[in-house]
Amino acid sequence: MPQANSERPHRLKYSLFYGRPGERIIGYDNEWGKGDHRHYRGVEEAYVFTTLEALLIDFQADVAAERKRHE
């Protein structure tokens, strides 16, 4: 497992994606130099990582809300 550092104190590297080829609708990641953050329809904002479980719940909730928008 990677060492903890100032950008990844939780020691995880992650990238969650929901979209279509060539179009990211929702994304959660911690690209080096940016730290934990969230993308939602072209807007990028900081994300406060607490636990892996919370990350997955937040991502799944955003995906569910997006899918409901298009029902």
Side-chain angles (χ1 to χ4, degrees), residues 59-70:
F59 176 72
Q60 291 170 341
D62 279 352
V63 170
E66 181 66 22
R67 292 177 62 111
K68 185 172 181 147
R69 238 180 89 179
H70 296 285

Side-chain angles (χ1 to χ4, degrees), residues 20-67:
R20 299 176 196 76
E23 179 187 14
R24 174 176 47 199
I25 298 170
I26 300 167
Y28 283 66
D29 67 277
N30 60 346
E31 175 184 347
W32 192 258
K34 292 187 174 186
D36 300 302
H37 62 282
R38 168 186 181 255
H39 303 262
Y40 194 92
R41 294 217 160 262
V43 176
E44 183 178 319
E45 60 189 11
Y47 175 75
V48 177
F49 182 95
T50 55
T51 66
L52 180 57
E53 292 78 14
L55 170 68
L56 295 174
I57 288 168
D58 292 344
F59 176 72
Q60 291 170 341
D62 279 352
V63 170
E66 181 66 22
R67 292 177 62 111

Side-chain angles (χ1 to χ4, degrees), residues 3-22:
Q3 294 293 319
N5 59 46
S6 62
E7 289 222 8
R8 296 186 184 130
H10 43 66
R11 302 182 343 177
L12 296 174
K13 168 68 177 127
Y14 62 88
S15 180
L16 304 173
F17 171 89
Y18 174 79
R20 299 176 196 76

